[in-house]
């Protein structure tokens, strides 16, 4: 139902290679695929515009048929011209796995029978590769067999196929659906995909961003869907994009006469909660022991949410062991069912919402619910939004990709309450809500003026804080944060044994505290080094002031001290300081990235604020502040910085913000403007001049 | 060529009481912060016996290890490696907290050793659940080795720290075995010998050994890890003695016997050889033509399955497949040269990774094969696995290494010549001037030896559509404020001589202006800046090649400016390495020269403090700015 559930129905690409040399059937298939090739599989030349590529896929074809509802046949055939040594290496050590056999070409089957490989040399001679020399692949490679393709050189064409057939007797044939992106690692001259179904089964498809669609033909007892795509460029690395929103794409799924729409599935989901299916005994025990007479819905919802995030109750409900609480992962929808049931029990009005991920687009563009997730809206004023629980998740901090997306809302529970909130989405968070503020006190190291001593305080909130939490919080800190008397209510023998185990874990984690803190300090030091592009020595005095996981202290806050090596440049009696570097390296736009025709998608709006207070040493003055005052603001975001002297302190402030999570491509130059201002700022220097 | 290595761990006669284990674990946890377990005690017994049916010595390796957990709720995997010459007979164990592993819980499979496409390596593994700090797991394994020839050495270190380890070799007095000790110095290893019945028993006991360090630029393990080389020399059969690997003669005899099994058929490549030498006037040109063809057209892909780890593939197979391992490529080079009328021979060699030479009769002495061609009484060594190395030049990894050259029933021992650091010179220069706040001008790299080979190999193996990016990244180290244009690369197909890369540049972050002064960073490259070696590093550094870098900058003083301050020069000169920075003035130009040398490409542990001190001075010197003042 949810993103986190892996669809095992989708064909498992196990692979059986039959090495019986030239069986009759193999000969037949080879003749079928290589003998009656389409014109595109006879081509040997590539267009001029792609001569500088590493390889070009001359032709690729997938034929999938499911006839009589039980017989599945999958043939996939590829012809690739290798234009450099890198491509020769890539294709010379061929393994029978999805990468090569299914090279992103929709085609996957649950059983292959035959593989054929031939090489076409530059002079036109063809030679089939003897696959009997294949050897067993390593056990951890997820591949069955591998072989080194002989006599493969730059300029050769490798032409290979896999052909499989499977009959489903006692089980249903697999589901078929895919969000297929046409642009891959190499350009493609011609791609053909053909699905063939017995009537009664159909293929539904929709195309995006200029992709071609299937053409449907009626052939007696079968429906045939054929797609042809030609001269497709390879994919390009693009900053801030969701490929499924901007690149040529085909979404398709196999349906039957009885298939329902996505909206219908979503509605069924939100109305299909059966409160009777969940056991909320532990939760009620907790409330009985601690909040028996509590009536404030906000208080109850808060307690409920943080209770279900508690490593102790994860064990009770989700069988998740409490030993690595920060790595806990939550599947399925039990969490939402428990909340729903408790809220009904406590007579707190709420709705279940199902929201589509922004990465795929509006709900009606989704193939199924695997790319959607639930949120519970509690009808308080203002509403409280409860997203899927995660180790640091909080109320009203739902996954960023669901924010602002319009979904389906179920009827209010309990039924007797009025349902006044007509909104079908959760508001988008703002750059102020997702912000990180870093304040630094900086001074020249008195013993060695080439170094800077830094005291740093970091506060981060909203979606921004997650990175900091995983850097600065250890499993011990996390368990310790939950070490509260209210969570120690032993209401049942099961709960008692869980509690015992929990307390043991806590004790053990305490014993490895020194080790964990050492790892944390190393991580933080390395993070400073990579983000500021400096060398750090003497990292110390880390202090975690707030974990940022509770209602009363929702932000993470920590401080630390460190020394940065070699950031002062000696110029005669003076020093040049690269203080702006301390706001961390900024996103730089390369020349080839300056032009953009695809829209900009980011996860969320956000802001980064910095304050650097540099103590000017006695006997020195500061020059060059003009270059540190910058202001670029527009609808996409901005960068503002200031520098001034206050007593013996040079105070530098900066704010960079992204005002939204989506902008049309036409806004790109505006973004580049403020991104460049931030880059220019980090490269500015100040002069510490000897008086 | 296959390289055999056995890590051991073993038994344990532990006198440490259970209640002390938690305390010890806490201490070890602080000392070895990255280790999930320590080997509390380990005992390995190598039991040698004569194979009743074949003229071979079999070995039974019995091992008992006690792992002390330094973690809670963690898992480690204990693996035993084996191959077509060995079997895992037993693999079981239990923990002080009633955990258990057995034959039922083990999982076995195949893996491929690094660098090979396929070999006969296999593993059996057990997942060990570490429930508590101080928990002790006792793990027993028994492995049988069919032929002692393939078990050349035994190492004392493990991936985990070792509290105590005992390795015992038990062999009948009829078997002559020499146990050669390496890198014992600095480790407290105690050796004892005794005779028990008809057996000789030799034991080594070591205590408090750190884990094998996972660090970069490591020399080959033989160079630094304490180990015993096992030389099973001969076996007495009544009054007669049968030599196994008693001397290098026996080693060669075995290698030669494998070569004699080759079925060379030169027909498939005769025409190619003829066309390659057709227009070549000198013998040297003919050899070059064949050698370069193999370099360029045969891909290195290694199948090292069983005996294929030692026996070369037939030349015609390599020719037809267009791939092979070092032995196959050496053999094809040899056979093609023979067709062309040259005296070419297979040649065994241990690369820079190998410590030993051919005074030792062991398969561990070599790990590579090349071809030697004799021309006018001079030997030339041809290693076709090294792309872009010219005839008469030798890659760093084979320089100064002893070689065993085939010579019918005999062999010839010789040495590959060595070159000094100038072979690898990387010369880089700027001719520059200041335009506004930009440092602009033209730059030139001149690459020699290993630096040229590395560049050309990377470039030719980079995807066509990413070649330009690679080239620019090579020049500007991917710095975005370092813009490059008009890049011209010399002829990369010309193997001899240096390679030039010319370009024009504009650097945005090297000049800062304040009031009437300009501050210029003369060295935007800053090679080796901050490359301080960590205090806890235990093994020498081996860069893999001798390093010699020269950087020369000429800067034209802008009109209206005069040079106010020239930074101080720097000279650090040690036997292993040297750095120098000099500034000078010549007319209206300021000249900056920087030289970095690592004479042998290695920094020994004893020199780490000197290296770190020098690097700190160098890093500081890099931050010094040239000051120009308005007249």
């Amino acid at each position: 139902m949810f993103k986190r559930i892996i669809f095992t129905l989708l064909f498992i690409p196990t692979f059986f290679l039959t090495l019986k040399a030239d069986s009759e059937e193999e000969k037949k298939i080879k003749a079928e695929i290589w003998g009656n090739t389409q014109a595109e599989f006879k081509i040997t030349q590539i267009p001029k515009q792609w001569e500088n590529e590493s390889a070009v896929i001359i032709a690729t074809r997938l034929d999938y048929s499911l006839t009589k509802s039980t017989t599945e046949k999958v043939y996939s055939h590829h012809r690739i011209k290798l234009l450099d040594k890198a491509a020769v290496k890539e294709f010379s050590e061929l393994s029978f796995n999805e990468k090569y056999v299914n090279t992103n070409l929709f085609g996957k089957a649950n059983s292959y029978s035959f593989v054929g490989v031939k090489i076409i040399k530059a002079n036109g001679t063809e030679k089939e590769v003897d696959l009997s020399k294949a050897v067993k692949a390593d056990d951890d490679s997820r591949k069955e067999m591998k072989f080194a393709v002989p006599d493969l050189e730059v300029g050769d064409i490798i032409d290979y196929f896999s052909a499989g057939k499977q009959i489903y007797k006692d089980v249903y044939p697999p589901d078929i659906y895919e969000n297929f992106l046409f642009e891959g690692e190499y350009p493609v001259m011609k791609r053909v995909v053909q699905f063939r179904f017995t009537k009664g089964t159909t293929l539904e498809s929709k195309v995006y961003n200029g992709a071609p669609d299937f053409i449907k033909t009626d052939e007696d007892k079968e429906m045939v869907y054929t797609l042809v795509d030609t001269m497709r460029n390879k994919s390009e690395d693009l900053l801030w994009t969701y490929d499924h929103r901007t690149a040529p794409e085909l979404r398709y799924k196999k349906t039957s006469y009885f298939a329902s729409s996505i909206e219908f599935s979503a509605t069924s989901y939100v109305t299909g909660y059966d409160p009777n299916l969940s056991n909320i005994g532990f939760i009620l025990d907790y409330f009985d022991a601690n909040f028996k007479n509590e009536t404030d819905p906000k208080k109850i919802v808060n307690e409920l949410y943080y209770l279900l995030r508690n490593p102790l109750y994860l064990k009770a409900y989700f069988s998740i062991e409490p030993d690595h609480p920060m790595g806990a992962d939550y599947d399925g929808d039990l969490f939402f069912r428990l909340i729903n049931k408790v809220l009904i029990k406590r007579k707190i009005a709420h709705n279940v919402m199902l929201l589509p991920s922004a990465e795929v687009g509006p709900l009606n563009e989704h193939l199924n619910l695997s790319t959607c997730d639930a949120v519970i809206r509690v009808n308080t004023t203002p509403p409280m939004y409860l997203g899927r629980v995660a180790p640091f998740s909080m109320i009203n901090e739902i996954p960023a990709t669901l924010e602002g997306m319009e979904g389906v809302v179920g009827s209010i529970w309990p039924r007797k309450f009025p349902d006044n909130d007509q909104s079908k989405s959760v508001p988008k968070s703002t750059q102020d809500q997702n912000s990180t503020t870093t304040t630094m006190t900086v001074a020249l190291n008195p013993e060695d003026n080439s170094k800077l001593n830094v005291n740093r305080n970091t506060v981060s909130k909203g979606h921004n804080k997650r990175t900091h939490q995983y850097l600065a919080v250890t499993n011990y800190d996390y368990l310790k944060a939950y070490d509260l008397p209210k969570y120690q209510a032993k209401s049942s023998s099961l709960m008692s044994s869980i509690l015992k185990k929990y307390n043991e874990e806590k004790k053990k984690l305490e014993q490895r505290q020194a080790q964990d803190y050492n790892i944390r300090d190393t991580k933080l030091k390395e993070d400073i080094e990579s983000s500021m592009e400096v060398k750090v020595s003497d990292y110390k005095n880390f202090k975690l002031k707030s974990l940022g996981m509770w209602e009363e202290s929702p932000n993470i806050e920590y401080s630390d001290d460190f020394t940065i090596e070699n950031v002062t440049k000696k110029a005669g009696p003076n020093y040049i300081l690269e203080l702006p570097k301390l706001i961390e390296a900024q996103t730089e736009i390369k020349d080839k990235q300056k032009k953009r025709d695809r829209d900009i998608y980011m996860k969320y709006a956000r802001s980064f604020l910095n304050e650097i207070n540099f103590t000017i040493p006695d006997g020195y003055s500061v020059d060059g502040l003009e270059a540190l005052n910058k202001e670029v603001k527009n609808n996409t975001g901005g960068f503002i910085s200031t520098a001034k002297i206050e007593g013996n302190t040079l105070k530098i402030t900066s704010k960079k913000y992204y005002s939204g999570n989506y902008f049309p491509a036409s806004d790109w130059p505006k973004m580049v403007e403020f991104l460049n201002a931030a880059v220019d700022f980090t490269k500015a220097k100040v002069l510490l001049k000897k008086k | 060529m296959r390289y055999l290595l056995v890590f051991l761990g073993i038994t344990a006669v532990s006198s440490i009481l259970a209640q002390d284990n938690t305390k010890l674990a806490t201490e070890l946890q602080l000392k070895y912060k990255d280790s999930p377990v320590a080997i509390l005690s380990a005992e390995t017994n190598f039991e040698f016996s004569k194979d009743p049916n074949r003229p071979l010595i079999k070995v039974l390796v019995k091992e008992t290890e006690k792992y002390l957990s330094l973690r809670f709720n963690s898992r480690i995997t204990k693996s035993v490696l084996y191959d077509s010459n060995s079997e895992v007979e037993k693999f079981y164990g239990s923990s002080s907290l009633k955990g258990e592993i057995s034959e039922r819980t083990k999982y076995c499979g195949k893996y491929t050793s690094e660098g090979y496409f396929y070999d006969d390596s296999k593993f059996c593994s057990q997942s060990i659940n570490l429930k508590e700090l101080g928990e002790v797991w006792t793990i027993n394994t028994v492995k049988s080795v069919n032929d002692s020839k393939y078990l050349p050495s035994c190492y004392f270190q493990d991936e985990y720290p070792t509290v105590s380890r005992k390795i015992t070799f038990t062999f009948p007095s009829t078997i002559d075995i020499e146990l050669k000790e390496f890198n014992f110095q600095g480790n407290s290893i105690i050796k004892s010998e005794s005779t028990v019945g008809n057996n000789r028993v030799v034991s080594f006991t070591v205590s408090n050994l750190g884990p094998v360090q996972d660090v970069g630029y490591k020399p080959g393990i033989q160079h630094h890890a304490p180990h015993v080389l096992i030389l099973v020399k001969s076996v007495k059969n009544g009054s007669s003695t049968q030599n196994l690997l008693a001397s290098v003669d026996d080693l060669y005899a075995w290698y030669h016997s494998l070569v004699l099994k080759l079925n060379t058929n030169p027909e498939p490549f005769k025409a190619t050889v003829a066309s390659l030498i057709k227009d070549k006037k000198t013998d040297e040109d003919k050899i070059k033509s064949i050698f370069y063809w193999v370099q360029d057209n045969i891909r290195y892909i290694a199948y090292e399955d069983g005996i294929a780890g030692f026996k070369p593939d037939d030349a015609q197979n390599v020719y037809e497949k267009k791939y092979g391992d070092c032995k196959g490529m050496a053999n094809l080079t040899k056979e093609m040269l023979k067709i062309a009328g040259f005296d070419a021979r297979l040649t065994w060699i241990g690369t820079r990774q190998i410590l030993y030479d051919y005074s030792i009769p062991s398969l561990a002495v070599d790990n590579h094969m090349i071809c030697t061609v004799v021309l006018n009484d001079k030997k030339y060594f041809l290693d076709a696995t090294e792309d872009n190395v010219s005839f008469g030049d030798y890659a760093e990894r084979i320089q100064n290494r002893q070689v065993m050259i085939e010579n019918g029933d005999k062999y010839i021992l010789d040495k590959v010549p060595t070159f000094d650091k100038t072979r690898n010179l990387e010369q880089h220069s700027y001719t520059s001037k200041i335009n506004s706040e930009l440092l602009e001008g033209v730059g030139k790299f001149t690459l020699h030896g290993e630096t040229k080979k590395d560049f050309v190999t990377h470039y030719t193996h980079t995807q066509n559509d990413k070649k330009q990016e690679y080239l620019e990244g090579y020049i500007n180290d991917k710095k975005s404020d370092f813009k490059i244009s008009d890049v011209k690369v010399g002829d990369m197909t010309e193997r001899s001589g240096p390679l030039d890369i010319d370009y024009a540049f504009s650097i945005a972050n090297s000049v800062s202006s304040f009031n009437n002064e300009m501050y210029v960073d003369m060295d935007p490259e800053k090679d080796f800046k901050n490359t301080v070696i960590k205090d806890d590093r235990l093994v020498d550094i081996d860069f893999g090649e001798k390093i010699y870098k020269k950087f020369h900058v000429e800067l034209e003083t802008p009109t209206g400016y005069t040079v106010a301050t020239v930074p101080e020069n720097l000279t650090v000169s040690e036997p292993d390495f040297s750095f120098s920075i000099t500034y000078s003035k010549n007319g209206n130009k300021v000249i900056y020269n920087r030289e970095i040398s690592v004479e042998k490409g290695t920094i020994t542990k004893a020199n780490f403090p000197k290296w770190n001190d020098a690097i700190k001075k160098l890093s500081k010197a890099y931050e010094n700015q040239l000051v120009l003042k308005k007249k």
Side-chain angles (χ1 to χ4, degrees), chain A residues 583-595:
Chain A
I583 73 160
E584 301 187 355
Q586 301 294 303
T587 306
E588 286 194 43
I589 304 303
K590 294 180 195 148
D591 287 345
K592 66 176 185 183
Q593 292 174 311
K594 280 182 182 153
K595 273 192 176 171

Side-chain angles (χ1 to χ4, degrees), chain A residues 67 228 348 364 437 552:
Chain A
T67 49
V228 179
I348 296 170
N364 61 0
T437 305
E552 59 278 13

Side-chain angles (χ1 to χ4, degrees), chain A residues 51-55 83-89 92-94 121 127 133-140 146-153 185-186 234 323-324 448-450 501 504-505 507-509 511-512 514-515 518-519 526 534-535 565-574 576 578 588 590-592 594 623-626 679 683-687 689, chain B residues 22 26 29-30 32-36 70-74 108-113 116-119 123 131-133 293 295-297 299-301 303 305 319-323 387 460-467 469 480-481 483 508-515 517 519-521 526 529-532 534 565 567 616 619-620 622-627:
Chain A
E51 278 172 357
N52 241 350
E53 298 291 343
S54 181
L83 301 175
D84 61 22
K85 285 199 166 187
V88 168
K89 181 162 171 41
S92 67
E93 295 179 13
L94 218 53
K121 307 298 289 181
K127 197 171 175 187
K133 298 272 164 37
V135 290
K136 196 173 179 308
D138 285 7
D139 284 79
D140 60 355
K146 62 179 181 181
F147 69 94
V149 181
D151 196 15
L152 195 63
E153 297 166 295
E185 193 179 350
Y186 304 113
K234 67 178 179 209
D323 51 357
H324 294 98
D448 183 347
N449 283 347
S450 71
K501 169 114 174 135
E504 277 170 15
E505 294 303 334
K507 214 168 115 194
K508 288 176 191 172
L509 284 167
Q511 287 182 48
R512 58 174 283 180
Q515 196 170 338
N518 177 57
I519 294 168
E526 286 171 356
V534 294
K535 180 89 181 165
E565 308 251 327
N566 305 321
V567 275
T568 66
K569 294 174 190 288
K570 195 157 185 335
N574 309 327
I576 296 171
E578 297 178 312
E588 286 194 43
K590 294 180 195 148
D591 287 345
K592 66 176 185 183
K594 280 182 182 153
D623 239 354
L625 298 190
E626 326 68 64
V679 172
K683 293 194 172 157
K685 302 173 182 79
V686 290
L687 182 71
K689 197 166 185 176
Chain B
T22 311
T26 313
Q29 193 186 49
L30 289 173
Y32 302 109
K33 287 170 178 157
D34 300 325
S35 295
L70 311 182
R71 290 279 189 280
F72 300 99
N73 298 325
S74 280
C108 301
K110 118 138 231 63
Y111 76 99
T112 307
S113 304
Y116 298 153
F117 179 73
Y118 183 76
D119 64 5
F123 68 90
K131 283 193 222 156
E132 299 261 338
L133 183 92
W293 184 89
Q295 271 185 339
D296 290 344
N297 291 281
R299 275 174 294 130
Y300 178 83
I301 293 180
Y303 281 82
D305 192 6
Y319 175 79
E320 275 163 5
K321 288 186 293 190
K322 297 282 190 301
Y323 67 72
D387 285 357
T460 47
H461 284 91
T462 298
Q463 288 184 221
N464 284 341
D465 51 333
K466 297 195 169 75
K467 279 190 162 72
E469 198 181 323
S480 59
D481 41 22
K483 306 274 183 224
N509 206 23
S510 279
V511 183
S512 319
S513 295
F514 295 98
N515 302 323
E517 290 182 337
Y519 302 91
V520 187
D521 185 351
K526 300 182 175 48
K529 185 186 168 186
N530 289 336
T531 52
V532 170
K534 282 189 176 173
T565 311
K616 280 175 190 162
S619 303
K620 233 178 190 181
Y622 278 144
E623 302 308 339
N624 290 339
Q625 309 281 294
L626 173 77
V627 184

Side-chain angles (χ1 to χ4, degrees), chain B residues 271-506:
Chain B
T272 302
V273 171
S275 80
L276 284 169
I277 62 173
K278 195 174 62 174
D279 300 324
K280 302 292 179 282
K281 292 191 175 63
T282 66
D283 283 347
E284 199 173 301
D285 284 345
K286 288 176 186 170
I287 296 169
K288 278 182 190 173
S289 180
I290 291 169
F291 174 44
Y292 296 165
W293 184 89
V294 180
Q295 271 185 339
D296 290 344
N297 291 281
I298 307 297
R299 275 174 294 130
Y300 178 83
I301 293 180
Y303 281 82
E304 306 285 345
D305 192 6
I307 203 68
F310 302 93
K311 178 177 170 273
D313 196 0
D314 281 315
Q316 65 275 15
N317 292 345
V318 178
Y319 175 79
E320 275 163 5
K321 288 186 293 190
K322 297 282 190 301
Y323 67 72
D325 64 3
C326 60
K327 303 184 298 298
M329 290 167 84
N331 193 30
L332 177 62
T333 312
K334 169 192 158 179
E335 295 298 340
M336 288 177 83
L337 286 168
K338 275 174 70 180
I339 291 293
F342 293 100
D343 176 4
R345 299 152 185 240
L346 294 180
T347 301
W348 291 260
I349 181 171
T351 63
R352 187 182 171 100
Q353 291 283 304
I354 300 288
L355 173 66
Y356 326 123
D357 62 18
Y358 285 105
S359 62
I360 297 172
S362 166
L363 299 184
V365 172
D366 43 45
N367 61 348
H368 191 36
M369 186 183 270
I370 57 176
C371 170
T372 302
V373 62
V374 184
L375 183 65
N376 304 328
D377 294 331
K378 196 176 169 197
K379 297 187 193 78
Y380 294 91
F381 303 99
L382 310 177
D383 183 354
T385 67
E386 289 282 357
D387 285 357
N388 308 302
V389 167
S390 65
F391 175 73
D393 186 18
Y394 303 117
E396 194 84 41
R397 68 180 185 138
I398 64 166
Q399 279 180 36
N400 204 31
R401 297 298 306 164
Q402 201 182 28
V403 285
M404 185 162 75
I405 305 167
E406 66 172 340
N407 190 27
D409 293 343
K410 304 287 180 196
Y411 55 91
I412 301 165
L413 292 183
D414 207 327
K415 213 172 210 188
V416 178
T418 187
F419 303 107
D420 69 12
K421 65 179 181 184
T422 50
R423 173 189 174 257
N424 295 344
L425 174 64
E426 179 200 282
Q427 201 153 15
H428 190 192
S429 64
Y430 292 170
T431 307
S432 59
K433 59 184 181 188
I434 295 168
N435 183 3
S436 183
E437 284 204 350
L438 299 174
L439 188 67
E440 289 182 344
V442 291
K444 184 188 196 81
F445 273 101
T446 305
L447 306 177
H448 300 74
E450 213 76 8
T451 55
K452 176 191 170 191
K453 183 195 84 176
D454 291 347
F455 170 81
V456 176
T457 304
H458 274 121
Y459 184 84
T460 47
H461 284 91
T462 298
Q463 288 184 221
N464 284 341
D465 51 333
K466 297 195 169 75
K467 279 190 162 72
Q468 187 62 21
E469 198 181 323
Y470 170 75
L471 191 53
E472 289 184 7
Y474 186 86
I475 295 168
N476 68 7
D477 203 19
K478 298 183 179 165
K479 288 182 190 125
S480 59
D481 41 22
F482 193 141
K483 306 274 183 224
I484 299 161
S485 57
D486 301 330
V487 184
K488 286 185 199 78
V489 186
D491 181 4
M492 280 188 266
T493 61
E494 176 53 57
R495 281 171 172 76
S496 59
L499 178 77
D500 289 341
I501 304 169
D502 291 279
Y503 61 95
F505 67 86
S506 166

